[in-house]
């Protein structure tokens, strides 16, 4: 059923930067996955990272003969360097970190469940509940507060890395609250919160002025969305000098809402990063997004949310349900029939359609997995077929 949005109701979304401790862990996990896939397209990877202080522990399971040929410790150091953690005063230093490799092999029971002897099919790599979502609020078919929260942090990252704002450090978070009208359209930006790590001895007045004028406002395309009542809350805790893993432990897969739709859609709970495409937590989430985005682009509804559910070792989803966007049960059933008959929702089908054996994953895991049009799951190549069959 449709979400009910009352007039003048506010909705909030958040994002985290590439320098957030949990995001550092995600990037290391996906960088390792990419390096494995460059050498072995059929590798089974479930890589997880924990970062605390100046220590990185890499764990999980990898089944591939090339595992021993890649330098996992060097991959972790390079990611940390690229993010900008080049000094222990920032909360992490790629030059002095300790990296522990605790990766093991995937369970033979799981391998046998996925790869059926004498068959070319693949079973799902785990059980899972997966959601895909799209809405018409932005050109990328993402919620407007979520897209703005991410674009603010991307702008800050670019200015930091270019040296344009030298006192910015890598760790940051943002949160955007927008007011919606009765037709579910965003009409005003009510609050923007940015917490950004910075060098010491920088005044909070300068931090506030710079973030508002040079980072936030340039990202707001429609200036009518802000006015004198818009609240900018910059570094509400005061100083934010201690950041990165010195300030907070990082863990792969802990920012699943920031990874998906910023709280505007359901999430089944399974993380994306560090997992190869046999893990439907990731691959089916991309497929569900692909379907939802094409449905909204075709004009089926203002928003569309699809749930898929899988059981380990079983090829086809055990259930498919439209969980938001369609009120009419008969029309919903027609759409479900269309989905079942036109989209291959098996692991093999998803992997082939979305080209998920390619080493693309490091690019996916910062500033959201969706809305990046270079990826197959963001293509709008099913719109005309949907309109021909389903448009009322």
């Amino acid at each position: 059923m449709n979400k009910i949005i009352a007039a003048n109701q506010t909705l909030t979304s958040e994002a985290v930067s590439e320098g957030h401790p949990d995001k550092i862990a995600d990037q290391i996990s996906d960088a390792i996955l990419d390096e494995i896939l460059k050498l072995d397209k059929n590798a089974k990877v479930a890589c997880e990272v924990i970062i605390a202080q100046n220590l990185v522990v890499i764990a999980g399971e990898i089944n591939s003969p090339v595992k021993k040929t890649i330098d996992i410790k060097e991959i972790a150091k390079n990611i940390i360097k690229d993010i900008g953690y080049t000094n222990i005063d920032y909360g992490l230093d790629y030059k002095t970190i300790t990296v522990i490799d605790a990766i093991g092999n995937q369970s033979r029971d799981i391998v046998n469940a996925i790869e059926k002897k004498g068959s070319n099919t693949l079973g799902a790599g785990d059980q899972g509940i997966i959601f895909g979502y799209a809405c018409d609020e932005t050109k990328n078919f993402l919620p407007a507060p979520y897209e703005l929260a991410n674009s603010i942090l991307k702008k800050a990252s670019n200015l930091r890395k270019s040296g344009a704002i030298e006192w910015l450090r890598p760790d940051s978070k943002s949160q955007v609250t927008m007011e919606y009208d009765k037709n579910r359209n965003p009409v005003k930006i009510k609050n923007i919160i940015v917490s950004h790590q910075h060098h010491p001895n920088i005044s909070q007045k300068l931090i506030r002025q710079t973030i508002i004028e040079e980072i936030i406002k340039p990202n707001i395309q429609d200036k009518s969305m802000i006015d004198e009542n818009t609240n900018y809350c910059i570094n509400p805790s005061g100083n934010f000098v201690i950041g990165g893993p010195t300030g907070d432990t990082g863990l792969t897969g802990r920012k699943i809402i920031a990874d998906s739709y910023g709280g505007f859609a359901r999430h089944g709970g399974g993380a994306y990063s560090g997992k190869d495409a046999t893990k439907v937590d990731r691959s089916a989430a991309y497929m569900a997004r692909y379907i939802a985005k094409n449905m909204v682009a075709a004009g089926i509804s203002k928003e569309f949310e699809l749930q898929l559910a899988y059981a380990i070792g079983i090829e086809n989803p055990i259930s498919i349900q439209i969980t938001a966007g369609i009120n009419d049960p008969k029309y919903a059933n027609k759409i479900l029939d269309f989905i079942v008959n036109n989209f291959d929702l098996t692991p093999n089908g998803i992997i082939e359609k979305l080209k998920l054996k390619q080493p693309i994953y490091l690019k996916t895991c910062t500033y959201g997995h969706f809305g990046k049009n270079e990826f197959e799951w963001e293509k709008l190549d099913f719109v005309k077929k949907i309109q021909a069959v389903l448009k009322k």
Side-chain angles (χ1 to χ4, degrees), residues 324-342:
I326 307 297
N327 276 331
D328 183 348
K330 290 183 178 179
Y331 190 41
N333 287 335
K334 183 178 179 180
I335 295 172
L336 285 172
D337 287 342
F338 178 87
I339 291 171
V340 169
N341 291 319
N342 288 276

Side-chain angles (χ1 to χ4, degrees), residues 5-261:
I5 305 295
N8 303 317
Q9 180 173 337
T10 56
L11 295 174
T12 302
S13 195
E14 72 163 352
V16 299
S17 73
E18 67 211 67
H20 186 281
D22 294 329
K23 268 294 137 201
I24 304 170
D26 285 340
Q27 289 167 87
I28 293 172
S29 295
D30 273 337
I32 291 169
L33 171 60
D34 280 352
E35 289 303 311
I36 293 284
L37 291 177
K38 288 176 184 177
L39 302 172
D40 180 5
K41 301 295 186 187
N42 297 310
K44 304 298 182 292
V45 179
C47 179
E48 302 190 48
V49 174
I50 184 170
I51 307 177
Q53 302 295 322
N54 214 32
L55 172 67
V56 177
V57 180
I58 303 171
E61 303 80 42
I62 298 177
N63 267 22
S64 173
V66 307
K67 178 174 64 173
K68 295 180 180 180
T69 68
I70 68 168
D71 191 336
I72 285 176
K73 294 182 180 181
E74 193 65 21
I75 292 169
K77 290 181 179 182
N78 286 336
I79 289 295
I80 292 166
K81 178 183 179 182
D82 290 345
I83 292 169
Y85 283 107
T86 57
N87 188 317
I88 194 60
D89 290 340
Y90 300 174
L92 188 63
D93 181 9
Y94 81 97
K95 299 184 295 296
T96 61
I97 58 169
T98 298
V99 182
I100 297 174
D101 180 354
I103 291 175
N105 293 318
Q106 188 178 56
S107 160
R108 176 49 54 183
D109 291 340
I110 295 176
V111 173
N112 291 340
I114 298 170
E115 299 176 347
K116 311 292 185 182
K117 285 187 177 181
S119 172
N120 292 323
T121 64
L122 289 174
D126 199 354
Q127 71 180 45
I129 303 167
I130 296 98
F131 291 90
Y133 179 78
C135 64
D136 66 357
E137 293 180 25
T138 67
K139 65 180 182 180
N140 288 323
F141 297 89
L142 289 170
Y146 176 65
E147 190 162 275
L148 179 57
N150 276 296
S151 67
I152 288 168
L153 297 183
K154 284 189 283 186
K155 177 74 171 179
S157 176
N158 291 337
L159 293 171
R160 171 177 63 85
K161 288 184 171 182
S162 71
I165 305 179
E166 295 182 347
W167 46 262
L168 288 175
R169 288 181 173 177
D171 195 358
S172 60
K173 300 174 74 172
S174 64
Q175 188 169 287
V176 175
T177 302
M178 288 189 183
E179 180 181 312
Y180 283 74
D181 65 19
K182 64 181 181 180
N183 296 316
R184 184 56 166 82
N185 297 309
V187 292
K188 284 289 180 184
I189 298 171
K190 301 294 287 185
N191 297 287
I192 298 178
I193 303 171
V194 176
S195 294
H196 209 301
Q197 187 188 16
H198 57 87
H199 287 249
N201 304 320
I202 302 295
S203 72
Q204 290 299 315
K205 181 179 179 180
L206 176 60
I207 293 169
R208 175 182 172 83
Q209 180 182 3
T210 304
I211 289 178
I212 292 172
E213 298 300 330
E214 297 186 34
I215 297 173
I216 293 175
K217 288 186 177 179
N219 277 286
I220 299 172
Q221 303 296 321
D222 183 357
K223 302 305 181 186
S224 69
M225 293 283 286
I226 56 174
D227 56 26
E228 66 277 4
N229 296 316
T230 303
N231 178 41
Y232 302 97
C233 193
I234 310 301
N235 283 9
S237 65
N239 275 349
F240 185 6
V241 174
I242 301 170
T246 297
D248 189 14
T249 299
L251 186 66
T252 299
R254 197 156 57 182
K255 284 291 172 282
I256 57 176
I257 298 302
D259 281 345
S260 54
Y261 308 101

Side-chain angles (χ1 to χ4, degrees), residues 255-286:
K255 284 291 172 282
I256 57 176
I257 298 302
D259 281 345
S260 54
Y261 308 101
F264 274 64
R266 296 170 177 87
H267 197 296
Y272 304 152
S273 288
K275 299 176 180 178
D276 74 88
T278 64
K279 281 72 171 176
V280 289
D281 287 338
R282 182 173 216 162
S283 56
Y286 293 166

